[in-house]
Amino acid sequence: MAGSRLPRQLFLQGVAAVFMFAFASLYMQIPGLYGPEGILPARRTLRPQGKGRWRQLWETPTLLWETPLLGLDTAQGLELLSLLGTLLALGALLLHQLRHLLVYLLLWAAYLSAYQVGQVFLYFQWDSLLLETGFLALLVAPLRLPPRHKQAQGRLAGVLPHEDLPFWLVRWLLFRLMFASGVVKLTSRCPAWWGLTALTYHFETQCLPTPASWFAHHLPVWLHKLGVVATFLIEIAVPPLFFAPVRRLRLAAFYSQVLLQVLIIITGNYNFFNLLTLLLTTALLDDAHLAARSGDSRRKKTPTSWPKALLALLALLLELAVYGLLACGVVHYFGLEADWERRAVRSKATFTFHQFSQWLKMVTLPTMWLGAASLAWELLTALWRWTHVRGWLRKCCAAVQLSVFGTATVALFVISLVPYSYMEPSTHGRLWTGAHRLFGTVEHLQLAHSYGLFRRMTGLGGRPEVVLEGSYDGHHWTEIEFMYKPGNVSRAPPIVAPHQPRLDWQMWFAALGPHTHSPWFTSLVLRLLQGKEPVIRLIQSHLPKYPFHKQPPTYVRAQRYKYRFSKPGEQGQWWQRQWVEEFFPSVSLGDPTLDMLLRQFGLQDKSPPRARSSSNTLAQALRWMRKQLSPLEAPALLWGLLGTVGAIRVMQALLGPQSSPRAKEEKHRPAPAEDSVAASKQASPAPDVSSGSQTPRRKK
């Protein structure tokens, strides 16, 4: 089996990029969401309760407990963490030396600190996924970076026995994410998923569509149904292939997952979630696949022995059998039939909810054993590599590292079984009690989560949308238009990713029920009546576009509409809408209804913020930085960061050290016989993957 050095490097760089996007996106929204004049001030979430310092930090693990020592309030501390996180992630993305365990520990701790005070605006599945992935990156990152001259050597001596163990957890996380996401669509009994019509609603009713969503929405219904069938295939049937012993099956699974994520990116604004999922798929790759060069294909093939030829034939037969089984299963369970007259493909689910529930009960535990068997193989491989380490001192160090990382890998696998089993209650109840206790002990550290994306399809009768309105006299109302969510029917859906406008997302959730299910909405109305600029910038970063930028409205109310994509041929319109009902009553400052709701939801400001010290240099620097960046729109900032990374990478490539012709000759010169013998003695089941400039040889 080929090594995983290049996929690990790609994974670590990608995690740094996602952290950079997440921190920068959050930074731009902190004043409006969590500042003293924000919707949900962060200072309310951290109230000392007379507990010891370390116990308080363990129960609510956030570095923001220490912000008073710096002379900052909680929101300013959050800004500082976000800025430092952005810069640290940018450094790890650009500099190999910063892709170290300690750096990823700081990134994970900073985001966990923000998560603890983020409240409803930070409780999304991708935030949990980023925390879990960030902790795995912490384990995947090297403890000690080898010098450049050693990276350039093609020696197996630099390969540590434990290196692949934590990276296996990335593959297990990808399996849990995709398999659970597919299963919950059917266990939810959503009629759109069971009727295979989910995509006829999804493109229109998702939170933040893209312009491509309009075109995808108007595709033929039979193609939408076929897309749902393909989704079930990729999310339920393909994930077990992540652990297949045949390399080509794993690569086929990789490309199927990439295809699904790319299509979602094109047709929806899901911030950094799809990028994060794509990063997880790197665990399905190997060095031989990533480092393949055209020169390798011209290399003369050597004849193989008959046992290897037999194994290759058996692998090919197994591969064909799997593809055939998947094809037959899809045709059978989804009743695929070609309709030649209409030039379409008919499809329908031919199994019942009871049959699926029985199947899920039958396979949930075996999938856990599949993961355990795959992990056992990784442990045995690591142990085999350890036996080939030369020198007693290096062997002892490798044994300690293997013990620590092996124990951590097994513990995290056991912990993850608890949230994974949530999708099948009977299996969850039969799980080992020790796993439940271990999960309960570390649950607050966000090390493992249950996932289930797009569980139910919303807006089957039209997309519900809340539209805020303001007035000076209570008779003439002006709509308050958001930058990203649908409002003006003539405005095209924007492209927002990788930024996540968290208020716009929560407005989408609020529209699905009464306003009492979203207590933060009352606080939003209060801040608009007060004319608080930080909250206004969440709605319109360019203040002159906000209709009440000169004077706050006297009255604010909210209406619920049903939005639908316009039909082809309607010029100048992307949406159609129809008024449904009043969502939030007309209120003004001092209104008894508003005061009652504020008291009911505990949103009254009983403890006003402490006066900020103007002499604090750090606070002054944070305010100066905020003043410089506040006029920018968040997507522009994030794309600017990405452009900066690209420009620096190009400069590094142009100005980097160029290898001389003599060095190139030495690079392709055969290794001395003594070195070859020494390398063969230290060889492990994986090929040479320690070279940073030389293509690893593929096993034939």
Side-chain angles (χ1 to χ4, degrees), residues 91-117:
L93 183 58
L94 293 173
L95 301 175
H96 172 78
Q97 293 80 359
L98 288 181
R99 292 176 211 138
H100 188 271
L101 181 149
L102 180 60
V103 172
Y104 287 93
L105 173 61
L106 293 174
L107 290 173
W108 173 78
Y111 205 76
L112 178 63
S113 299
Y115 181 87
Q116 296 296 329
V117 301

Side-chain angles (χ1 to χ4, degrees), residues 32-47:
L33 295 178
Y34 305 118
E37 298 179 343
I39 299 174
L40 296 176
R43 59 187 172 80
R44 298 175 182 171
T45 61
L46 294 181
R47 299 185 184 276

Side-chain angles (χ1 to χ4, degrees), residues 387-410:
T387 61
H388 289 76
V389 175
R390 300 182 65 185
W392 67 269
L393 183 58
R394 293 180 59 190
K395 206 176 189 69
C396 289
C397 292
V400 172
Q401 292 179 343
L402 180 58
S403 301
V404 171
F405 283 91
T407 302
T409 301
V410 173

Side-chain angles (χ1 to χ4, degrees), residues 2 244-252 284 286-290 698:
V246 179
R247 177 173 175 266
R248 285 193 299 266
L249 286 176
R250 297 194 301 273
L251 292 178
L284 303 177
D286 53 42
D287 289 340
H289 190 69
L290 288 179
R698 298 185 184 181

Side-chain angles (χ1 to χ4, degrees), residues 167-398:
F167 199 48
W168 178 88
L169 288 171
V170 178
R171 194 191 316 177
W172 173 245
L173 173 57
L174 176 66
F175 171 80
R176 287 165 40 218
L177 172 67
M178 301 310 301
F179 188 72
S181 296
V183 164
V184 298
K185 292 176 175 61
L186 294 174
T187 56
S188 67
R189 301 196 183 195
C190 175
W193 286 115
W194 278 93
L196 307 183
T197 58
L199 291 184
T200 61
Y201 307 103
H202 166 73
F203 299 114
E204 179 180 73
T205 61
Q206 61 183 318
C207 179
L208 296 177
T210 65
S213 304
W214 186 92
F215 297 95
H217 177 73
H218 292 293
L219 291 173
V221 174
W222 70 267
L223 197 55
H224 285 159
K225 288 189 170 184
L226 209 57
V228 174
V229 173
T231 300
F232 285 136
L233 172 66
I234 294 173
E235 291 186 345
I236 298 179
V238 170
L241 299 182
F242 297 168
F243 308 105
V246 179
R247 177 173 175 266
R248 285 193 299 266
L249 286 176
R250 297 194 301 273
L251 292 178
F254 164 78
Y255 284 109
S256 68
Q257 302 302 318
V258 169
L259 175 63
L260 177 62
Q261 298 306 317
V262 169
L263 291 176
I264 296 175
I265 290 174
I266 294 173
T267 58
N269 286 295
Y270 289 96
N271 49 80
F272 56 79
F273 164 66
N274 303 109
L275 299 176
L276 191 54
T277 307
L278 286 172
L279 283 179
L280 298 180
T281 63
T282 58
L284 303 177
L285 300 176
D286 53 42
D287 289 340
H289 190 69
L290 288 179
R293 297 179 182 176
S294 58
D296 294 341
S297 60
R298 295 191 296 266
R299 190 175 295 168
K300 188 176 180 180
K301 294 185 177 181
T302 57
T304 58
S305 59
W306 70 265
K308 291 184 178 180
L310 180 60
L311 286 176
L313 177 61
L314 292 176
L316 178 61
L317 292 177
L318 176 61
E319 187 179 356
L320 294 176
V322 169
Y323 294 148
L325 185 63
L326 290 176
C328 293
V330 168
V331 172
H332 174 72
Y333 288 108
F334 292 99
L336 298 187
E337 294 180 359
D339 189 338
W340 301 108
E341 294 182 0
R342 298 182 179 180
R343 296 183 178 180
V345 177
R346 296 179 181 176
S347 57
K348 64 176 181 179
T350 60
F351 53 94
T352 65
F353 176 79
H354 176 73
Q355 290 173 328
F356 180 76
S357 299
Q358 293 299 314
W359 174 85
L360 182 61
K361 186 181 298 185
M362 181 177 64
V363 303
T364 302
L365 197 58
T367 57
M368 296 181 184
W369 285 112
L370 174 64
S374 178
L375 176 57
W377 175 258
E378 294 291 336
L379 288 168
L380 290 174
T381 303
L383 188 61
W384 173 257
R385 288 174 175 169
W386 175 78
T387 61
H388 289 76
V389 175
R390 300 182 65 185
W392 67 269
L393 183 58
R394 293 180 59 190
K395 206 176 189 69
C396 289
C397 292

Side-chain angles (χ1 to χ4, degrees), residues 473-495:
D473 57 9
H475 299 287
H476 301 87
W477 295 89
T478 303
E479 291 189 7
I480 298 175
E481 187 175 354
F482 284 64
M483 286 184 290
Y484 309 117
K485 82 180 194 69
N488 187 343
V489 296
S490 301
R491 191 187 64 173
I495 296 178

